[in-house]
Amino acid sequence: MSSTDPWIAIGPALGPAATFGAIVTLALTAGVVARAASTRSARWWGLLGAMLSLLLAILAARRRSTSSVDALGADALGADALGMDALWGLDALSAPIFPFVVALFAVITLAAPTRFASPTLLARLALASALALVVIGARHPLLVALAWAGSSVPTAIELRGRPGARAFVVHHVVSALFVVAGLFAAHVASPRLAGALLVLGVLIREGVVPFHAWVPSLYERAPLGSALLFSRAQVGAYLLARVLVASPLGSSATWGLDLLGAMTMLYGAALALGQPGVRRALGYLATSQTAIVLLGLADGGPIGARGAVLAIVSVGLAQTGLGLALWVTEARRGELRLDGAGEGVAATPALAGATLFLGLACVGLPGTLAFVAEELVFHATLEARPWIGVAMVTATAINGVLVLRIALRIFAGGVIGGAFGARRPRGGADLLARERVAFGLLGASLVTFGVAPQRLLSVGAEDPAEIRADVHVSADMSRDAHRREIHDDR
Amino acid sequence: MTSELIGVAVSVDLAIAWLATSMVLLPLGAFALAGLAEIVGAGWRDEVLAAVSRALFTLTTIAGLTAAALFGLEGGRPVHHVFGRWFSADGAGAHQAYEVGVLVDATSLTYLVLTSLLAGTVGAFSLRYLEGEEGAGRFFRAMMLFTAGLSLVVVAESLGLLFVGWELVGVSSALLIAFYRHREGPVRHALLAFAIYRICDAALLASLVVLHHASGTTSLPAAFEAPLSPTVAALFGGLVLFASLGKSAQLPFSGWLPRAMEGPTPSSAIFYGALSVHAGAYLLLRTAPLWEGSTPLRVTIVMIGALTALLGTLTGRAQTDVKSGLAYAASAQVGLIFVEIGLGLHTLALVHVVGHALVRTLELLRAPSLLQDVQRLEAELGRALPRAGARYERVVPRRIRTWLYRFALERAFLDTLASRLIAALRRATRALDAFDRRVVGAATSRASTPGRGVGASAGVAHGSTSEPPPAATKREGVTMKRGGEGAEADWPETVEGRR
């Protein structure tokens, strides 16, 4: 940062304070929204809180730590200081993802259909976002572990008493146990065991095959907004990136992760294409797309890592947009199915267009951000491991067909037997003003960063080799500084 | 003096590069503006869009002809110009950059001028043909996107940039096949065409990485300088060939072409008669220096082309509607172009492309007036029109002729084979789905009924929000189709759609 930077005068504590402020703002928003008298007021309070939190999150990302990526694990558990700097802050890895999670909450709050978006639901979404932010913004492993365990609670409450709830709870309790044990093991046992436990916990949270059973179930049973926020924030992928950047896997573990990633991509894509119900198809699509991040991170190379971080953001935004468009359509028409002809494109052209565009954007339409992300991951993967690359391109091809199928099967083809069988077009009202704003913002972000992605790429993950060096150097430096402080005190 | 001459040559090169680039940017910009106007609710009237299209394609044609004239004056020297970098990522010795540039040579200029000339002609025809029709604006927008995509394919200096255009062509093609979107047939056929495109696009993406792996670059001029080893050439060429087969409707992917004719006639003419169908041939011509050292690959190209030409001719003769007949004829001609490319007759292939595109466009644009044309011709002749190739039919023994007719009527049984393949895939997917649901069932004490869709669950989900569930939980169309034949009427059965 240059000396002319206006932020420099405010002081180095601004970054951690802004990080903490963004989290607290969302937590307070949850409280305010829960007490709102109507969905309308809950939505506007939610948006106000989201905007404030987003501003703070962007500020926090700008004032990220000067070291590339901070260590998360052994040293921090033993730290004596518990000040703001020691507990909160962003680094190169978390800087792009922290504001992204707030943006997801904002856009879901803005577009959520009024008939489904009760104040309680919006409050739970705010709380889930705040907990996800803690996982990303906290520097102390204990905080990360607690937030990790707690972040699935609001979604579990949404599922309470429904089929699929138990699968969700079982998976996430196990995931939380693994992650907590992993972070503890990083302090007392070998880093290898810690890494294995953390990766296992993350794989469950990410819904990687064979731990994927809860994902389609969640999409099918929970309010779509909850499912989208929980799975598309990709907190698990973020934690995995942090774990792998700090301690890269050995070749056999990389091979295993590759295998799981390729299997997840293909399995998710194949099952998504065969689904008659749109929600379940969306769930499998999410599973399949998650694996892109996994494969990008697996080899620990710089190109793949950057592609992975970009994929978290781009695929997350696009798929959330697609899911919201479908949720909005569901609110107008009831259940949506893919095994019959659709209708309503004439009545709802903007909604149909948004569904198609956001769908294509999430499978890498050229000119959108996901194209850049997938391109980087493809190159990194195909160069190093061609057979994984073949699985990736195949799955992406299938996913492309799926999104076109979703758009066409829901909105088009309703007249069977030509013009003589024509019915009056149906489909409900087209996009409302707030929905237009939400989808417009999503589309504009995806295209703007897709056409000019370099700025986002330079904010993203840095060279893992340098990062790892920085981690060790910063850890050594902090130890030295600590010793010096003790010496000075004496 | 010499430096002045070099300076002039450089500026002429730059002018050619910019003129070629304008042929991509102009339609892309017009598409973006028209799309943006539509999004903000201030969509252009059809007449405005038509006028913009007319001006646009006039400009691009002038740009193309000017570039061709300058190219000729410069002695036909290929122009390679890189404008800059789209994005890049590097670190730890690895580097990945996506550069934006053009490679203009005789082949690309021919395609470029042909693209804007035919797009302009078809655009002008469409002004009348689609006047007052619902969706005319949509047609012009899709055509702008298509033209931009195809022009990008033609001028791209790297395989990576070419892939971007290739994808845009695929998306716009699918949208135009589904132009009459209120009908089920076009939607099915668009899905089928898009599925084939995507499968073949995956091969193009893989070829791109093979090239990068072998040459360290995807820039075509740079890759041309270092010949690939025979094995890599065969692998790279095989992937490029596979990508070409889908767009150019060659075996085994020829079945989608007649179904794509569900779109409006002008789009059929420009996509499947003139331009899109030749994109595969262009891809092969463009990358030929990289794979032509592989004899087995060239033999494969010749065989696929010849077989497609034979089956296309045979099948086309048994069609009962003019557009299907023309589609098979186009497929057969492109097959012959593939044969020429495989034999190394690149100039002949290029001439064949131009001639075929012009003739086929005329035929397709005249197709709606076929009956009138036939009547006029017969009136002029004073007798019925003779059947083309009837004398050859008589040479074939009667029994074989009957079998061949059945073979042609069944479209070489390719649809049956494809249907069986798709049915097998569907069964596999369903089995996998059933297995997956059982896994969920094992993990939950109160599992949902297997095979049950979103309905009940959606209702439950809505309940959580303390809001009433949606009023309509079953749509008319869905109720009608569920459980009966409609349950089977999912997208993969599209191959059975147009009988």
Side-chain angles (χ1 to χ4, degrees):
Chain A
M1 195 152 300
S2 71
S3 58
T4 52
D5 193 322
W7 300 109
I8 201 88
I10 302 175
L14 187 62
T19 310
F20 182 64
I23 295 166
V24 170
T25 308
L26 266 193
L28 290 175
T29 303
V32 174
V33 166
R35 285 174 175 75
S38 66
T39 299
R40 189 184 161 84
S41 61
R43 189 194 306 280
W44 294 120
W45 279 115
L47 273 177
L48 185 66
M51 287 301 112
L52 278 173
S53 180
L54 189 59
L55 283 175
L56 288 167
I58 292 168
L59 181 60
R62 280 193 59 121
R63 299 290 298 162
R64 68 193 167 93
S65 159
T66 46
S67 70
S68 299
V69 171
D70 298 321
L72 177 74
D75 294 335
L77 271 178
D80 298 328
L82 285 175
M84 188 68 86
D85 283 12
L87 294 179
W88 309 102
L90 302 181
D91 55 26
L93 194 61
S94 50
I97 300 173
F98 194 75
F100 154 72
V101 173
V102 188
L104 276 193
F105 168 69
V107 84
I108 291 173
T109 306
L110 186 58
T114 304
R115 75 190 315 171
F116 301 148
S118 66
T120 319
L121 175 69
L122 294 180
R124 283 180 193 149
L125 289 176
L127 189 62
S129 310
L131 288 166
L133 289 187
V134 176
V135 176
I136 299 163
R139 299 174 85 162
H140 198 284
L142 203 60
L143 276 175
V144 174
L146 286 173
W148 178 271
S151 61
S152 52
V153 173
T155 315
I157 293 171
E158 292 291 348
L159 277 169
R160 193 179 41 191
R162 295 175 193 169
R166 188 174 157 183
F168 184 87
V169 171
V170 166
H171 277 94
H172 291 286
V173 166
V174 174
S175 163
L177 286 175
F178 274 127
V179 169
V180 171
L183 289 170
F184 184 68
H187 185 52
V188 297
S190 73
R192 202 168 188 169
L193 175 67
L197 288 168
L198 283 168
V199 169
L200 258 175
V202 167
L203 292 183
I204 297 171
R205 171 69 172 254
E206 284 295 289
V208 170
V209 173
F211 313 115
H212 67 287
W214 62 272
V215 183
S217 179
L218 172 71
Y219 272 83
E220 202 176 9
R221 322 280 180 201
L224 256 181
S226 286
L228 289 167
L229 186 68
F230 185 75
S231 84
R232 292 302 84 200
Q234 297 227 35
V235 176
Y238 159 74
L239 196 64
L240 184 68
R242 185 165 284 285
V243 170
L244 295 186
V245 159
S247 50
L249 297 170
S251 60
S252 56
T254 301
W255 187 88
L257 214 56
D258 273 344
L259 187 68
L260 284 179
M263 206 161 73
T264 303
M265 267 204 100
L266 279 174
Y267 190 82
L271 280 181
L273 196 59
Q275 293 303 314
V278 79
R279 277 175 170 247
R280 227 177 141 77
L282 204 59
Y284 281 115
L285 177 66
T287 305
S288 178
Q289 298 279 83
T290 297
I292 295 176
V293 182
L294 196 69
L295 291 172
L297 291 171
D299 73 337
I303 313 278
R306 284 174 194 222
V309 172
L310 219 55
I312 293 178
V313 177
S314 60
V315 174
L317 286 175
Q319 212 180 326
T320 300
L322 173 66
L324 284 174
L326 295 171
W327 204 20
V328 161
T329 314
E330 205 175 57
R332 285 154 167 79
R333 301 199 202 162
E335 66 163 304
L336 302 173
R337 292 184 66 87
L338 301 170
D339 52 357
E343 58 191 341
V345 66
T348 57
L351 183 53
T355 308
L356 178 66
F357 173 75
L358 291 165
L360 290 172
C362 81
V363 293
L365 179 73
T368 63
L369 189 56
F371 175 79
V372 180
E374 289 185 4
E375 193 68 24
L376 292 175
V377 177
F378 278 149
H379 267 273
T381 313
L382 275 166
E383 284 282 326
R385 299 149 291 167
W387 66 275
I388 294 283
V390 171
M392 278 181 79
V393 292
T394 310
T396 306
I398 298 173
N399 287 338
V401 179
L402 171 74
V403 295
L404 189 71
R405 181 178 180 232
I406 287 177
L408 291 180
R409 281 290 177 213
I410 288 174
F411 291 102
V415 177
I416 301 154
F420 297 109
R423 293 194 300 265
R424 250 182 67 216
R426 300 192 319 167
D430 206 359
L431 290 178
L432 305 173
R434 66 175 168 78
E435 292 164 346
R436 272 180 199 269
V437 171
F439 293 126
L441 283 173
L442 277 173
S445 318
L446 289 166
V447 172
T448 307
F449 286 120
V451 173
Q454 199 57 50
R455 196 173 165 77
L456 205 58
L457 270 169
S458 28
V459 177
E462 268 115 33
D463 182 347
E466 291 167 18
I467 290 168
R468 277 191 285 281
D470 279 344
V471 169
H472 298 308
V473 168
S474 64
D476 293 345
M477 282 171 68
S478 62
R479 270 189 227 108
D480 290 347
H482 189 62
R483 280 191 211 109
R484 270 200 303 276
E485 278 170 20
I486 293 167
H487 181 75
D488 290 349
D489 286 349
R490 281 174 188 166
Chain B
M1 185 66 185
T2 314
S3 62
E4 276 175 22
L5 281 174
I6 291 169
V8 170
V10 168
S11 46
V12 171
D13 282 3
L14 200 62
I16 293 171
W18 272 110
L19 284 168
T21 309
S22 72
M23 296 173 78
V24 180
L25 292 181
L26 282 172
L28 196 62
F31 168 78
L33 281 177
L36 203 63
E38 193 71 21
I39 289 167
V40 299
W44 300 348
R45 282 182 293 117
D46 291 353
E47 305 87 77
V48 177
L49 256 175
V52 169
S53 299
R54 190 161 39 199
L56 175 75
F57 292 125
T58 308
L59 276 176
T60 53
T61 308
I62 291 170
L65 290 172
T66 313
L70 289 174
F71 182 78
L73 287 173
E74 279 292 287
R77 188 169 39 81
V79 175
H80 176 218
H81 185 77
V82 175
F83 292 103
R85 190 168 284 179
W86 183 2
F87 60 88
S88 65
D90 47 18
H95 178 71
Q96 172 60 36
Y98 213 107
E99 291 189 327
V100 179
V102 293
L103 173 62
V104 185
D105 56 13
T107 311
S108 60
L109 262 178
T110 308
Y111 262 84
L112 210 53
V113 174
L114 189 71
T115 301
S116 41
L117 198 68
L118 285 179
T121 309
V122 171
F125 177 86
S126 310
L127 297 179
R128 284 286 177 84
Y129 190 85
L130 292 172
E131 193 177 12
E133 185 153 351
E134 189 269 321
R138 201 156 32 90
F139 170 83
F140 285 112
R141 281 196 300 275
M143 211 166 81
M144 287 168 185
L145 183 64
F146 167 77
T147 312
L150 191 63
S151 301
L152 186 58
V153 166
V154 169
V155 298
E157 71 93 32
S158 71
L159 215 50
L161 200 58
L162 187 150
F163 180 75
V164 172
W166 194 262
E167 287 277 279
L168 295 180
V169 167
V171 171
S172 54
S173 289
L175 293 180
L176 273 175
I177 296 171
F179 180 80
Y180 296 113
R181 53 198 182 178
H182 55 284
R183 282 167 33 203
E184 198 181 12
V187 168
R188 280 165 171 258
H189 298 156
L191 279 171
L192 176 70
F194 193 66
I196 290 171
Y197 279 176
R198 291 291 295 192
I199 291 165
C200 296
D201 290 355
L204 183 59
L205 199 57
S207 75
L208 193 153
V209 179
V210 168
L211 183 64
H212 192 265
H213 195 74
S215 306
T217 177
T218 60
S219 169
L220 291 169
F224 292 159
E225 284 171 11
L228 302 174
S229 71
T231 316
V232 177
L235 176 64
F236 171 77
L239 289 166
V240 167
L241 173 64
F242 192 84
S244 309
L245 298 180
K247 281 274 194 300
S248 285
Q250 297 296 290
L251 282 175
F253 302 118
S254 51
W256 67 268
L257 191 61
R259 292 183 178 82
M261 298 291 174
E262 286 272 9
T265 295
S267 75
S268 305
I270 195 163
F271 280 70
Y272 315 114
L275 299 176
S276 182
V277 80
H278 291 118
Y282 178 78
L283 184 64
L284 285 175
L285 283 172
R286 185 60 134 179
T287 55
L290 295 169
W291 54 257
E292 63 187 353
S294 168
T295 310
L297 182 77
R298 291 176 64 171
V299 171
T300 311
I301 295 173
V302 170
M303 281 170 62
I304 289 176
L307 207 57
T308 307
L310 191 69
L311 287 180
T313 308
L314 202 64
T315 314
R317 294 177 68 79
Q319 298 307 306
T320 50
D321 65 296
V322 63
K323 282 176 82 177
S324 292
L326 288 173
Y328 278 109
S331 177
Q333 286 298 319
V334 177
L336 291 178
I337 292 169
F338 268 54
V339 171
E340 290 154 10
I341 293 171
L343 292 174
L345 306 169
H346 295 177
T347 310
L348 177 63
L350 193 61
V351 172
H352 197 160
V353 165
V354 175
H356 178 236
L358 294 173
V359 170
R360 202 62 71 196
T361 304
L362 177 71
E363 283 181 343
L364 276 161
L365 292 182
R366 288 300 302 172
S369 316
L370 179 76
L371 290 177
Q372 193 188 2
D373 286 356
V374 169
Q375 281 167 1
R376 189 186 295 163
L377 279 170
E378 287 185 341
E380 294 287 337
L381 282 171
R383 59 185 171 86
L385 281 173
R387 278 198 70 210
R391 75 180 66 166
Y392 301 113
E393 283 180 11
R394 281 195 291 274
V395 176
V396 181
R398 190 178 178 79
R399 185 181 289 178
I400 296 177
R401 218 187 308 158
T402 311
W403 186 88
L404 279 176
Y405 179 69
R406 169 91 197 282
F407 181 76
L409 207 58
E410 291 288 341
R411 300 181 172 186
F413 298 103
L414 284 175
D415 287 356
T416 315
L417 284 173
S419 294
R420 284 184 186 166
L421 180 68
I422 287 167
L425 286 174
R426 277 172 63 85
R427 277 197 300 276
T429 312
R430 281 177 183 166
L432 213 57
D433 190 32
F435 166 77
D436 210 67
R437 285 172 189 267
R438 274 202 300 278
V439 171
V440 179
T444 56
S445 55
R446 286 168 289 177
S448 60
T449 311
R452 200 172 170 194
V454 76
S457 53
V460 177
H462 305 142
S464 73
T465 62
S466 313
E467 293 289 331
T473 51
K474 282 190 175 65
R475 286 179 290 116
E476 190 185 333
V478 174
T479 312
M480 184 180 74
K481 298 194 105 276
R482 194 175 300 157
E485 64 166 14
E488 296 298 316
D490 210 352
W491 73 272
E493 269 70 31
T494 41
V495 287
E496 298 289 359
R498 201 164 189 273
R499 284 291 176 89

